[in-house]
């Protein structure tokens, strides 16, 4: 076997997966058909939950140092702010949106990966693969046309929206391509009312979103209304961008020094199942969204975090394949479905046509935005801290008595503590409301029984009388009463590999 895991595609999702697997000691190969890394800004926003997970990988700090922290997003209609979502109240060590061009995110992830001893193999295109009983054989084509076969235990398609892996799995990519062309422009902007913040303009002609990059540089995205194809249409010029800002924005904003100017189409699609046999899909290969919610890259990177610890536990021979590996598909497919709905809603709100409908939308939106719990809920949704796995087949809610965090919920991050899941071993951590001594000796017995699956360190509990088993990605696996060691043992026993 040449690699335990072959990753196809070195975009942000493939790189995140490679970083996670490499830190857990899994042998990976990661290939990309492109000769060089992309230099395009595309996804700018790295949201709070993604940064929390990157903290575990040890690379959040590097990204944070390179990016720009943005504290709020404003919704503007008719030249007025009708809503403002503050991210400072998000309960996370990263209560902001980190603005970092996708090209930089990829560069920093790749540097981190190189530090873990793995190099991206570029100019290697997956052309086909065969999934056998216990491994996958992939055929890769070099630039000179020569072909190479790689045998791996697992194959993960992180190869983007036009995924060859998805085609090879014969997965249907269900959804729509709305008949609308979008433009993207990187420009210098002067005269903004809230410089350094995100601004989303709702206008009768369509939406206009402004994302800060650094200093006075911004990314402007706008939909250009119905059209059957973006093919043959010219890329926007600076004068087009200025016209959009004048018509759809608050006015008084001047665009200059254009960088990347382009147009694109949006797809809203998803596969139903993220796994078939030894082959998985993650990121845009599994789901694509409207850019209106800026969620695509973040959701994809979180697919990678979810899959990595499960594959690592299986590759290390600590866990059997089920329910972990099918759990990846059911957990992330449900999240993918929710994000599809949320970004679809955001897009359809922004793209309402007709004067009366727009007046009503603006009126209702200003009422909703005026309501503080609604603003907090929106901040939690876009920052992705509200992503949870309430219906996961891996959850065990041993006691209804302890409501939060319930099985499937994200555990609160604690000031000054290393995040659960950091380090080089994927392991479950016990948080128990019993004396340290009792807990430690009981946990030691469990560790003895379940090898490296459970962590001996006992952390403070989340409530009186309860006991929580937390997964390597910081979600609650099991909740039970303090001292119910049989529940913990039964949970770990279900995962542990039979010897
Ligand atoms: C204009 C724009 C703005 C966006 N803004 C945001 C945002 O603010 N926030 C957000 O979260 N998302 C945003 N997105 C979405 C985001 O860019 C994507 O979701 C993200 O790039 C997906 O990452 P990925 O790694 O899954 O796929 P990709 O980035 O597409 O990477 C796939 C890689 O696979 C390689 N590959 C493909 N086929 C093969 C093959 N057969 N063999 C080998 N290699 C192969 C490709 O060369 C590529 O490097 C935006 C997208 C666009 C277009």
């Amino acid at each position: 076997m040449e690699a335990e895991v072959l990753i196809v595609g070195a975009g942000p999702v493939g790189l995140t997966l490679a970083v996670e697997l490499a830190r857990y000691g899994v042998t990976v190969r990661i290939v990309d058909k492109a000769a060089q890394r992309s230099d395009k800004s595309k996804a700018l926003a790295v949201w709070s939950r993604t940064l929390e997970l990157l903290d575990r990988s040890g690379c959040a700090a590097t990204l944070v140092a390179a990016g720009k922290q943005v504290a709020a997003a404003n919704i503007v209609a008719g030249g007025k702010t009708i809503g403002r979502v503050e991210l400072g109240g998000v309960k996370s060590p990263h209560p902001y949106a980190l603005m970092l061009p996708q090209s930089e995110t990829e560069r920093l992830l790749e540097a981190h990966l190189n530090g873990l001893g793995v190099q991206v193999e570029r100019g290697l295109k997956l052309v086909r693969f065969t999934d056998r009983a216990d491994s996958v054989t992939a055929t890769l084509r070099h630039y000179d046309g020569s072909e190479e076969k790689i045998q791996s235990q697992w194959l993960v398609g992180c190869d983007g929206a036009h995924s060859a892996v998805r085609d090879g799995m014969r997965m249907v990519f269900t959804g729509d391509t709305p008949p609308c062309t979008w433009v993207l422009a990187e420009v210098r902007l002067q005269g903004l009312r809230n410089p350094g913040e995100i601004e989303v303009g709702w206008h009768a002609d369509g939406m206009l979103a402004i994302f800060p990059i650094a200093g006075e540089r911004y990314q402007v995205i706008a939909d250009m209304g119905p059209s059957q194809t973006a093919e043959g249409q010219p890329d926007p010029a600076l004068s087009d961008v200025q016209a959009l800002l004048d018509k759809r924005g608050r006015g008084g904003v001047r665009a200059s020094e254009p960088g990347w100017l382009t147009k694109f189409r949006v797809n809203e699609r998803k596969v139903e199942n993220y796994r078939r046999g030894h082959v998985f899909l993650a990121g845009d290969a599994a789901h694509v969204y409207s850019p209106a919610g800026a969620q695509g890259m973040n959701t994809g990177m979180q697919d990678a975090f979810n899959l990595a610890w499960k594959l690592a536990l299986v590759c290390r021979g600590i866990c059997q394949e089920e329910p972990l590996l099918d759990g990846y598909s059911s957990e992330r497919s449900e999240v993918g479905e929710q994000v599809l709905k949320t970004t679809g809603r955001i897009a359809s709100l922004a793209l309402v046509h007709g004067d009366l409908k727009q007046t009503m939308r603006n009126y209702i939106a200003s009422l909703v935005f005026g309501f503080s719990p609604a603003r907090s809920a929106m901040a939690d949704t876009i920052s992705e801290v509200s992503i949870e796995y309430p219906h996961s087949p891996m959850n065990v809610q041993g006691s209804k008595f302890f409501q939060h965090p319930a099985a499937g919920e994200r555990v609160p991050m604690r000031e000054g503590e290393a995040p659960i899941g950091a380090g080089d071993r994927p392991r479950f951590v016990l948080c128990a409301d019993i004396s340290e001594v009792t807990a430690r000796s009981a946990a030691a017995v469990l560790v003895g029984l379940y090898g490296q699956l459970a962590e001996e360190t006992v952390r403070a509990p989340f409530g009186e009388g309860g006991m929580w088993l937390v997964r390597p990605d910081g979600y609650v696996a099991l909740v039970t009463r303090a001292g119910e060691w049989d529940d913990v043992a039964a949970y770990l026993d279900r995962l542990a590999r039979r010897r």
Side-chain angles (χ1 to χ4, degrees):
M1 200 75 66
E2 288 154 75
E4 286 170 302
V5 181
L6 171 64
I7 301 171
V8 180
V13 176
L15 288 167
T16 303
L17 182 64
V19 162
E20 285 294 274
L21 290 172
R23 89 168 156 113
Y24 289 143
V26 175
T27 55
V28 286
R29 281 184 73 175
I30 171 166
V31 300
D32 199 294
K33 67 178 180 184
Q36 281 171 346
R37 222 180 21 240
S38 163
D39 61 356
K40 299 292 182 265
S41 62
K42 292 200 285 182
L44 271 184
V46 186
W47 297 111
S48 310
R49 184 59 184 152
T50 308
L51 289 169
E52 288 178 3
L53 290 161
L54 284 166
D55 270 330
R56 294 164 160 75
S57 324
C59 49
T62 324
L63 266 71
V64 171
K68 176 181 174 59
Q69 297 178 22
V70 166
N74 303 290
I75 310 290
V76 177
K80 288 191 212 128
T81 303
I82 60 165
R84 181 174 164 84
V85 178
E86 307 256 359
L87 298 166
V90 171
K91 291 191 177 53
S92 166
H94 302 284
Y96 49 82
L98 184 75
M99 294 295 150
L100 187 65
Q102 185 171 324
S103 48
E104 277 297 282
T105 300
E106 291 177 21
R107 183 180 69 78
L108 295 170
L109 284 171
E110 188 169 343
H112 194 77
L113 181 65
N114 296 158
L116 292 164
V118 180
Q119 308 295 323
V120 176
E121 299 173 58
R122 298 194 183 276
L124 265 184
K125 177 180 179 177
L126 175 108
V127 284
R128 62 187 163 274
F129 63 86
T130 314
D131 186 4
R132 301 182 195 285
D134 57 354
S135 65
V136 186
T137 305
T139 305
L140 304 172
R141 187 171 296 151
H142 292 257
Y143 267 143
D144 63 6
S146 60
E147 291 191 348
E148 176 189 345
K149 282 193 188 329
I150 297 185
Q151 206 189 355
S152 59
Q153 240 174 300
W154 307 98
L155 169 72
V156 190
C158 304
D159 50 345
H162 304 287
S163 170
V165 176
R166 186 182 65 232
D167 289 348
M169 292 163 88
R170 296 199 164 71
M171 292 284 190
V172 183
F173 209 26
T174 311
D176 285 328
T177 304
C180 177
T181 302
W182 292 67
V183 296
L184 178 150
E186 277 177 24
V187 283
R188 179 181 182 200
L189 294 183
Q190 290 166 296
L192 284 164
R193 177 88 52 89
N194 299 303
E197 294 188 352
I198 297 170
E199 188 159 302
V200 179
W202 290 347
H203 185 268
D205 290 355
M207 95 175 243
L208 174 86
I210 300 173
F211 295 97
I213 302 178
E216 291 185 327
R217 290 209 71 76
Y218 289 82
Q219 188 190 70
V220 177
I221 296 184
D223 80 285
M224 302 306 289
S227 68
Q228 286 314 311
T229 174
E231 298 298 316
Q233 295 182 26
D235 284 338
L238 180 63
S239 54
D240 299 323
V241 180
Q242 185 64 58
L244 282 165
L245 289 163
D246 292 344
K247 198 163 183 200
R248 299 188 190 178
R250 296 178 203 261
V253 177
R254 201 172 76 79
S256 60
E257 299 174 30
W260 187 35
L261 299 172
T262 189
K263 60 185 187 307
F264 62 96
R265 297 283 286 213
V266 170
N267 281 289
E268 294 170 345
R269 293 177 185 277
K270 184 183 155 291
V271 294
E272 200 175 318
N273 204 326
Y274 290 21
R275 176 192 182 193
R276 184 161 288 163
H278 294 89
V279 186
F280 299 87
L281 293 172
D284 275 18
H287 45 73
V288 283
Y289 309 113
S290 158
Q295 304 283 300
M297 179 183 77
N298 286 264
T299 308
M301 288 170 75
Q302 291 181 40
D303 290 343
F305 286 114
N306 185 296
L307 179 58
W309 65 269
K310 294 171 177 166
L311 267 183
L313 282 170
V314 172
C315 288
R316 283 183 159 213
I318 298 169
C319 285
Q320 48 191 9
E321 290 177 20
E322 304 316 329
L324 282 180
L325 299 186
D326 276 347
Y328 162 69
S329 182
S330 59
E331 289 178 356
R332 294 308 299 174
S333 179
E334 187 177 346
V335 169
E337 205 66 55
Q338 280 166 10
V339 176
L340 206 54
K341 282 188 193 140
T342 309
T343 51
R345 264 187 228 124
I346 294 174
S348 50
L349 260 183
L351 303 179
V352 162
H353 292 283
D355 286 350
L356 184 62
K357 282 188 189 157
Q358 282 169 3
T359 308
M360 282 178 61
R361 174 205 57 195
N362 296 351
Y363 175 69
I364 293 169
S366 60
L367 288 181
V368 173
F369 279 114
F371 187 50
S372 157
R375 285 199 305 276
S376 302
M378 280 182 243
D380 286 355
T381 302
I382 58 172
S383 61
E384 299 199 343
V385 296
S386 58
I387 287 180
E388 295 177 337
Y389 305 119
H391 307 115
S392 170
M394 296 186 53
N395 292 348
V396 174
Q397 184 77 29
S399 169
K400 298 269 175 275
F401 185 69
F402 307 101
Q403 293 299 323
H404 297 292
E409 288 184 0
R410 157 184 169 267
V411 299
M413 309 281 290
R414 295 201 235 245
E415 200 71 43
E417 264 187 11
I420 290 172
D424 61 2
R425 288 194 302 122
R427 66 218 184 274
F428 285 71
V429 171
L430 201 61
C431 301
D433 183 25
I434 39 182
S435 87
E436 181 98 344
V437 176
T438 318
R440 272 195 190 286
S441 55
V445 173
L446 288 174
V447 170
L449 278 174
Y450 297 104
Q452 294 178 38
L453 187 48
E455 171 62 67
E456 229 178 310
T457 309
V458 177
R459 304 215 182 188
F462 302 109
E464 268 179 39
M467 193 153 74
W468 285 258
L469 191 61
V470 181
R471 307 172 3 163
D473 56 357
Y475 291 90
V476 175
L478 160 84
V479 190
T480 189
R481 285 180 192 279
E484 294 286 352
W485 297 105
D486 287 353
D487 287 353
V488 181
Y491 189 94
L492 296 175
D493 198 49
R494 190 163 71 109
L495 302 187
R497 188 168 162 204
R498 308 273 169 261
R499 299 195 185 264

